Short mmCIF file of all heavy atoms in Angstrom, two decimals:
data_model
loop_
_atom_site.label_atom_id
_atom_site.label_comp_id
_atom_site.label_asym_id
_atom_site.label_seq_id
_atom_site.Cartn_x
_atom_site.Cartn_y
_atom_site.Cartn_z
N LEU A 491 -8.11 6.60 1.35
CA LEU A 491 -6.77 7.20 1.33
C LEU A 491 -5.94 6.70 0.16
O LEU A 491 -5.31 7.49 -0.56
CB LEU A 491 -6.03 6.91 2.64
CG LEU A 491 -6.54 7.64 3.87
CD1 LEU A 491 -5.94 7.05 5.13
CD2 LEU A 491 -6.23 9.13 3.78
N THR A 492 -5.92 5.38 -0.04
CA THR A 492 -5.10 4.84 -1.14
C THR A 492 -5.65 5.28 -2.49
O THR A 492 -4.86 5.65 -3.38
CB THR A 492 -4.99 3.31 -1.06
OG1 THR A 492 -6.29 2.72 -1.02
CG2 THR A 492 -4.17 2.87 0.14
N SER A 493 -6.96 5.29 -2.64
CA SER A 493 -7.54 5.75 -3.91
C SER A 493 -7.18 7.19 -4.20
O SER A 493 -6.80 7.54 -5.32
CB SER A 493 -9.06 5.60 -3.88
OG SER A 493 -9.43 4.26 -3.83
N SER A 494 -7.27 8.02 -3.19
CA SER A 494 -6.95 9.42 -3.35
C SER A 494 -5.48 9.63 -3.68
O SER A 494 -5.13 10.40 -4.58
CB SER A 494 -7.32 10.18 -2.08
OG SER A 494 -6.95 11.52 -2.17
N LEU A 495 -4.62 8.95 -2.95
CA LEU A 495 -3.18 9.11 -3.17
C LEU A 495 -2.76 8.57 -4.54
O LEU A 495 -1.92 9.17 -5.21
CB LEU A 495 -2.39 8.43 -2.05
CG LEU A 495 -2.43 9.17 -0.71
CD1 LEU A 495 -1.98 8.25 0.42
CD2 LEU A 495 -1.58 10.43 -0.76
N VAL A 496 -3.33 7.46 -4.97
CA VAL A 496 -3.02 6.92 -6.29
C VAL A 496 -3.48 7.91 -7.36
O VAL A 496 -2.77 8.18 -8.33
CB VAL A 496 -3.66 5.53 -6.50
CG1 VAL A 496 -3.65 5.13 -7.96
CG2 VAL A 496 -2.95 4.48 -5.65
N ALA A 497 -4.65 8.50 -7.19
CA ALA A 497 -5.20 9.45 -8.17
C ALA A 497 -4.38 10.73 -8.26
O ALA A 497 -4.41 11.41 -9.29
CB ALA A 497 -6.64 9.78 -7.82
N GLU A 498 -3.65 11.05 -7.20
CA GLU A 498 -2.85 12.28 -7.22
C GLU A 498 -1.57 12.13 -8.03
O GLU A 498 -0.80 13.08 -8.17
CB GLU A 498 -2.54 12.71 -5.78
CG GLU A 498 -3.78 13.20 -5.07
CD GLU A 498 -3.58 13.46 -3.59
OE1 GLU A 498 -2.46 13.31 -3.08
OE2 GLU A 498 -4.58 13.79 -2.93
N SER A 499 -1.33 10.95 -8.55
CA SER A 499 -0.24 10.68 -9.50
C SER A 499 1.13 11.18 -9.02
O SER A 499 1.75 12.03 -9.64
CB SER A 499 -0.54 11.32 -10.86
OG SER A 499 -1.76 10.85 -11.37
N HIS A 500 1.59 10.64 -7.92
CA HIS A 500 2.92 10.99 -7.42
C HIS A 500 3.99 10.40 -8.33
O HIS A 500 3.78 9.38 -8.98
CB HIS A 500 3.10 10.49 -5.99
CG HIS A 500 2.15 11.14 -5.04
ND1 HIS A 500 2.28 12.44 -4.63
CD2 HIS A 500 1.01 10.69 -4.47
CE1 HIS A 500 1.28 12.76 -3.84
NE2 HIS A 500 0.49 11.71 -3.72
N ASN A 501 5.14 11.04 -8.35
CA ASN A 501 6.22 10.61 -9.24
C ASN A 501 6.98 9.40 -8.73
O ASN A 501 7.75 8.81 -9.46
CB ASN A 501 7.21 11.77 -9.45
CG ASN A 501 6.57 12.93 -10.18
OD1 ASN A 501 5.69 12.73 -11.01
ND2 ASN A 501 7.01 14.13 -9.87
N ASP A 502 6.79 9.02 -7.49
CA ASP A 502 7.55 7.93 -6.89
C ASP A 502 6.91 6.59 -7.24
O ASP A 502 5.84 6.25 -6.73
CB ASP A 502 7.60 8.12 -5.37
CG ASP A 502 8.49 7.12 -4.67
OD1 ASP A 502 8.76 6.06 -5.24
OD2 ASP A 502 8.91 7.42 -3.54
N PRO A 503 7.56 5.79 -8.11
CA PRO A 503 6.97 4.50 -8.50
C PRO A 503 6.88 3.52 -7.33
O PRO A 503 5.98 2.68 -7.31
CB PRO A 503 7.91 3.98 -9.59
CG PRO A 503 9.18 4.74 -9.43
CD PRO A 503 8.83 6.04 -8.77
N ASN A 504 7.78 3.61 -6.36
CA ASN A 504 7.71 2.72 -5.20
C ASN A 504 6.48 3.03 -4.36
O ASN A 504 5.82 2.12 -3.86
CB ASN A 504 8.97 2.84 -4.34
CG ASN A 504 10.19 2.29 -5.02
OD1 ASN A 504 10.12 1.34 -5.78
ND2 ASN A 504 11.33 2.91 -4.77
N LEU A 505 6.17 4.32 -4.21
CA LEU A 505 4.98 4.71 -3.46
C LEU A 505 3.74 4.23 -4.18
O LEU A 505 2.84 3.65 -3.56
CB LEU A 505 4.93 6.23 -3.27
CG LEU A 505 3.64 6.78 -2.64
CD1 LEU A 505 3.45 6.22 -1.23
CD2 LEU A 505 3.67 8.29 -2.62
N LEU A 506 3.67 4.44 -5.47
CA LEU A 506 2.51 4.02 -6.25
C LEU A 506 2.30 2.51 -6.13
O LEU A 506 1.19 2.04 -5.91
CB LEU A 506 2.67 4.43 -7.71
CG LEU A 506 1.50 4.11 -8.64
CD1 LEU A 506 0.22 4.78 -8.16
CD2 LEU A 506 1.81 4.51 -10.06
N GLN A 507 3.37 1.75 -6.24
CA GLN A 507 3.28 0.30 -6.14
C GLN A 507 2.80 -0.12 -4.74
O GLN A 507 1.94 -0.98 -4.60
CB GLN A 507 4.62 -0.35 -6.45
CG GLN A 507 4.57 -1.87 -6.40
CD GLN A 507 5.90 -2.50 -6.74
OE1 GLN A 507 6.94 -1.84 -6.75
NE2 GLN A 507 5.89 -3.78 -7.00
N ALA A 508 3.35 0.50 -3.70
CA ALA A 508 2.94 0.17 -2.33
C ALA A 508 1.47 0.50 -2.11
O ALA A 508 0.72 -0.30 -1.53
CB ALA A 508 3.81 0.92 -1.33
N LEU A 509 1.03 1.66 -2.58
CA LEU A 509 -0.37 2.05 -2.43
C LEU A 509 -1.30 1.08 -3.14
O LEU A 509 -2.36 0.70 -2.62
CB LEU A 509 -0.59 3.47 -2.95
CG LEU A 509 0.05 4.59 -2.16
CD1 LEU A 509 -0.04 5.91 -2.92
CD2 LEU A 509 -0.56 4.71 -0.77
N GLN A 510 -0.90 0.65 -4.34
CA GLN A 510 -1.72 -0.29 -5.08
C GLN A 510 -1.77 -1.66 -4.38
O GLN A 510 -2.81 -2.31 -4.36
CB GLN A 510 -1.20 -0.43 -6.51
CG GLN A 510 -1.46 0.80 -7.33
CD GLN A 510 -0.77 0.80 -8.68
OE1 GLN A 510 0.26 0.15 -8.87
NE2 GLN A 510 -1.31 1.55 -9.62
N GLN A 511 -0.65 -2.08 -3.79
CA GLN A 511 -0.63 -3.34 -3.04
C GLN A 511 -1.55 -3.25 -1.82
O GLN A 511 -2.32 -4.18 -1.55
CB GLN A 511 0.78 -3.69 -2.58
CG GLN A 511 1.69 -4.17 -3.66
CD GLN A 511 3.09 -4.40 -3.13
OE1 GLN A 511 3.56 -3.74 -2.21
NE2 GLN A 511 3.78 -5.35 -3.74
N ILE A 512 -1.44 -2.16 -1.09
CA ILE A 512 -2.29 -1.97 0.09
C ILE A 512 -3.76 -2.00 -0.32
O ILE A 512 -4.57 -2.69 0.29
CB ILE A 512 -1.96 -0.64 0.80
CG1 ILE A 512 -0.54 -0.67 1.38
CG2 ILE A 512 -2.98 -0.34 1.90
CD1 ILE A 512 -0.02 0.70 1.79
N GLN A 513 -4.06 -1.27 -1.36
CA GLN A 513 -5.43 -1.18 -1.84
C GLN A 513 -5.95 -2.55 -2.26
O GLN A 513 -7.06 -2.95 -1.88
CB GLN A 513 -5.48 -0.20 -3.01
CG GLN A 513 -6.84 0.24 -3.41
CD GLN A 513 -6.78 1.34 -4.45
OE1 GLN A 513 -5.95 1.29 -5.36
NE2 GLN A 513 -7.62 2.33 -4.31
N GLN A 514 -5.17 -3.29 -3.02
CA GLN A 514 -5.60 -4.60 -3.51
C GLN A 514 -5.81 -5.59 -2.37
O GLN A 514 -6.82 -6.28 -2.32
CB GLN A 514 -4.58 -5.16 -4.51
CG GLN A 514 -5.06 -6.42 -5.20
CD GLN A 514 -6.30 -6.18 -6.05
OE1 GLN A 514 -6.39 -5.21 -6.78
NE2 GLN A 514 -7.26 -7.09 -5.97
N LEU A 515 -4.87 -5.65 -1.45
CA LEU A 515 -5.01 -6.56 -0.32
C LEU A 515 -6.17 -6.17 0.58
O LEU A 515 -6.86 -7.02 1.14
CB LEU A 515 -3.72 -6.63 0.48
CG LEU A 515 -2.58 -7.42 -0.15
CD1 LEU A 515 -1.31 -7.29 0.68
CD2 LEU A 515 -2.95 -8.88 -0.32
N ASN A 516 -6.40 -4.89 0.71
CA ASN A 516 -7.50 -4.41 1.55
C ASN A 516 -8.84 -4.80 0.94
O ASN A 516 -9.76 -5.20 1.66
CB ASN A 516 -7.40 -2.89 1.71
CG ASN A 516 -8.26 -2.37 2.82
OD1 ASN A 516 -8.22 -2.86 3.94
ND2 ASN A 516 -9.04 -1.36 2.53
N VAL A 517 -8.96 -4.72 -0.36
CA VAL A 517 -10.21 -5.06 -1.04
C VAL A 517 -10.43 -6.58 -1.05
O VAL A 517 -11.53 -7.06 -0.82
CB VAL A 517 -10.20 -4.51 -2.49
CG1 VAL A 517 -11.35 -5.08 -3.30
CG2 VAL A 517 -10.26 -3.00 -2.48
N ASP A 518 -9.34 -7.33 -1.29
CA ASP A 518 -9.46 -8.77 -1.44
C ASP A 518 -9.57 -9.53 -0.12
O ASP A 518 -10.06 -10.64 -0.09
CB ASP A 518 -8.24 -9.33 -2.20
CG ASP A 518 -8.25 -8.93 -3.66
OD1 ASP A 518 -9.30 -8.46 -4.16
OD2 ASP A 518 -7.20 -9.05 -4.32
N ASN A 519 -9.09 -8.94 0.95
CA ASN A 519 -8.94 -9.71 2.18
C ASN A 519 -9.26 -8.82 3.38
O ASN A 519 -8.43 -8.04 3.80
CB ASN A 519 -7.50 -10.23 2.27
CG ASN A 519 -7.28 -11.11 3.47
OD1 ASN A 519 -8.22 -11.60 4.08
ND2 ASN A 519 -6.03 -11.32 3.80
N HIS A 520 -10.43 -8.97 3.94
CA HIS A 520 -10.83 -8.14 5.08
C HIS A 520 -10.34 -8.74 6.40
O HIS A 520 -11.10 -8.94 7.33
CB HIS A 520 -12.35 -7.94 5.12
CG HIS A 520 -12.83 -7.04 4.05
ND1 HIS A 520 -12.63 -5.68 4.09
CD2 HIS A 520 -13.48 -7.27 2.88
CE1 HIS A 520 -13.15 -5.11 3.02
NE2 HIS A 520 -13.66 -6.06 2.27
N GLN A 521 -9.04 -8.98 6.43
CA GLN A 521 -8.38 -9.44 7.64
C GLN A 521 -7.14 -8.57 7.82
O GLN A 521 -6.70 -7.92 6.87
CB GLN A 521 -7.99 -10.91 7.52
CG GLN A 521 -9.20 -11.83 7.39
CD GLN A 521 -8.78 -13.29 7.31
OE1 GLN A 521 -7.67 -13.65 7.64
NE2 GLN A 521 -9.70 -14.12 6.86
N PRO A 522 -6.57 -8.57 9.00
CA PRO A 522 -5.37 -7.74 9.20
C PRO A 522 -4.26 -8.10 8.21
O PRO A 522 -4.12 -9.25 7.81
CB PRO A 522 -4.96 -8.07 10.64
CG PRO A 522 -6.20 -8.54 11.30
CD PRO A 522 -6.99 -9.25 10.22
N PHE A 523 -3.50 -7.09 7.84
CA PHE A 523 -2.38 -7.31 6.95
C PHE A 523 -1.27 -8.08 7.67
O PHE A 523 -1.15 -8.01 8.89
CB PHE A 523 -1.79 -5.97 6.48
CG PHE A 523 -2.76 -5.13 5.69
CD1 PHE A 523 -3.10 -3.87 6.13
CD2 PHE A 523 -3.30 -5.58 4.50
CE1 PHE A 523 -3.98 -3.07 5.40
CE2 PHE A 523 -4.18 -4.80 3.77
CZ PHE A 523 -4.51 -3.54 4.22
N GLU A 524 -0.46 -8.76 6.90
CA GLU A 524 0.71 -9.45 7.46
C GLU A 524 1.72 -8.39 7.92
O GLU A 524 1.94 -7.39 7.24
CB GLU A 524 1.37 -10.34 6.40
CG GLU A 524 0.49 -11.46 5.89
CD GLU A 524 0.29 -12.55 6.92
OE1 GLU A 524 1.21 -12.78 7.74
OE2 GLU A 524 -0.79 -13.17 6.91
N ASN A 525 2.33 -8.63 9.08
CA ASN A 525 3.31 -7.66 9.61
C ASN A 525 4.45 -7.42 8.64
O ASN A 525 4.96 -6.30 8.55
CB ASN A 525 3.84 -8.13 10.96
CG ASN A 525 2.88 -7.82 12.08
OD1 ASN A 525 2.03 -6.96 11.97
ND2 ASN A 525 3.02 -8.52 13.19
N GLN A 526 4.87 -8.45 7.94
CA GLN A 526 5.96 -8.30 6.97
C GLN A 526 5.57 -7.30 5.88
O GLN A 526 6.37 -6.45 5.50
CB GLN A 526 6.29 -9.66 6.34
CG GLN A 526 7.38 -9.61 5.30
CD GLN A 526 7.64 -10.99 4.69
OE1 GLN A 526 7.09 -11.99 5.14
NE2 GLN A 526 8.48 -11.03 3.69
N ASP A 527 4.34 -7.40 5.39
CA ASP A 527 3.86 -6.45 4.38
C ASP A 527 3.80 -5.04 4.95
O ASP A 527 4.25 -4.08 4.31
CB ASP A 527 2.48 -6.85 3.86
CG ASP A 527 2.49 -8.12 3.04
OD1 ASP A 527 3.52 -8.43 2.42
OD2 ASP A 527 1.45 -8.81 3.02
N VAL A 528 3.25 -4.92 6.15
CA VAL A 528 3.12 -3.60 6.79
C VAL A 528 4.50 -2.97 6.97
O VAL A 528 4.70 -1.79 6.67
CB VAL A 528 2.37 -3.68 8.14
CG1 VAL A 528 2.41 -2.35 8.86
CG2 VAL A 528 0.93 -4.13 7.91
N ASN A 529 5.47 -3.73 7.44
CA ASN A 529 6.82 -3.21 7.64
C ASN A 529 7.43 -2.72 6.33
O ASN A 529 8.07 -1.67 6.28
CB ASN A 529 7.72 -4.26 8.29
CG ASN A 529 7.34 -4.53 9.72
OD1 ASN A 529 6.74 -3.70 10.40
ND2 ASN A 529 7.68 -5.71 10.21
N GLN A 530 7.22 -3.48 5.27
CA GLN A 530 7.74 -3.08 3.96
C GLN A 530 7.08 -1.79 3.49
O GLN A 530 7.75 -0.87 3.02
CB GLN A 530 7.49 -4.20 2.94
CG GLN A 530 7.97 -3.88 1.55
CD GLN A 530 7.64 -5.00 0.57
OE1 GLN A 530 7.09 -6.03 0.92
NE2 GLN A 530 7.96 -4.77 -0.68
N TRP A 531 5.76 -1.70 3.64
CA TRP A 531 5.05 -0.48 3.23
C TRP A 531 5.48 0.71 4.07
O TRP A 531 5.63 1.82 3.55
CB TRP A 531 3.55 -0.67 3.34
CG TRP A 531 2.99 -1.75 2.47
CD1 TRP A 531 3.46 -2.18 1.25
CD2 TRP A 531 1.86 -2.57 2.75
NE1 TRP A 531 2.69 -3.19 0.77
CE2 TRP A 531 1.69 -3.45 1.67
CE3 TRP A 531 0.96 -2.64 3.80
CZ2 TRP A 531 0.67 -4.39 1.61
CZ3 TRP A 531 -0.07 -3.57 3.75
CH2 TRP A 531 -0.20 -4.43 2.67
N MET A 532 5.67 0.48 5.36
CA MET A 532 6.07 1.57 6.26
C MET A 532 7.42 2.15 5.83
O MET A 532 7.61 3.37 5.87
CB MET A 532 6.14 1.09 7.70
CG MET A 532 4.81 0.66 8.29
SD MET A 532 3.54 1.92 8.23
CE MET A 532 4.29 3.14 9.26
N GLN A 533 8.34 1.31 5.42
CA GLN A 533 9.64 1.79 4.96
C GLN A 533 9.46 2.69 3.73
O GLN A 533 10.08 3.74 3.63
CB GLN A 533 10.57 0.63 4.61
CG GLN A 533 11.12 -0.07 5.81
CD GLN A 533 12.05 -1.22 5.42
OE1 GLN A 533 11.91 -1.82 4.36
NE2 GLN A 533 13.00 -1.51 6.28
N ILE A 534 8.62 2.26 2.82
CA ILE A 534 8.38 3.06 1.62
C ILE A 534 7.68 4.37 1.96
O ILE A 534 8.10 5.45 1.51
CB ILE A 534 7.55 2.26 0.59
CG1 ILE A 534 8.38 1.07 0.08
CG2 ILE A 534 7.09 3.15 -0.57
CD1 ILE A 534 7.59 0.05 -0.71
N LEU A 535 6.64 4.30 2.78
CA LEU A 535 5.90 5.52 3.15
C LEU A 535 6.79 6.49 3.92
O LEU A 535 6.74 7.71 3.69
CB LEU A 535 4.67 5.18 3.99
CG LEU A 535 3.58 4.35 3.29
CD1 LEU A 535 2.47 3.99 4.27
CD2 LEU A 535 3.02 5.07 2.08
N ASP A 536 7.62 5.97 4.83
CA ASP A 536 8.50 6.83 5.63
C ASP A 536 9.59 7.49 4.78
O ASP A 536 10.07 8.57 5.11
CB ASP A 536 9.15 6.03 6.76
CG ASP A 536 8.17 5.67 7.86
OD1 ASP A 536 7.09 6.29 7.93
OD2 ASP A 536 8.49 4.76 8.65
#
């Protein structure tokens, strides 16, 4: 999902940054995300 959404080149820099953060943390760390990070991303996605 993140790869696809990043490739679609949306104009929102906050969305792009959030997607890249999600993607990077997901690749680097196969453990659940921190709730603080998830809440921040949710605000941006919403």
Side-chain angles (χ1 to χ4, degrees):
L491 289 167
T492 55
S493 293
S494 177
L495 288 164
V496 166
E498 291 172 3
S499 303
H500 297 287
N501 295 328
D502 186 339
N504 291 327
L505 174 61
L506 183 59
Q507 182 179 15
L509 292 170
Q510 289 170 335
Q511 286 176 330
I512 295 166
Q513 193 172 41
Q514 188 63 44
L515 285 174
N516 195 50
V517 169
D518 290 346
N519 184 17
H520 288 286
Q521 296 182 17
F523 298 120
E524 297 289 329
N525 280 339
Q526 179 181 353
D527 291 332
V528 173
N529 290 336
Q530 179 183 358
W531 298 330
M532 295 303 297
Q533 285 181 332
I534 294 168
L535 296 175
D536 288 343

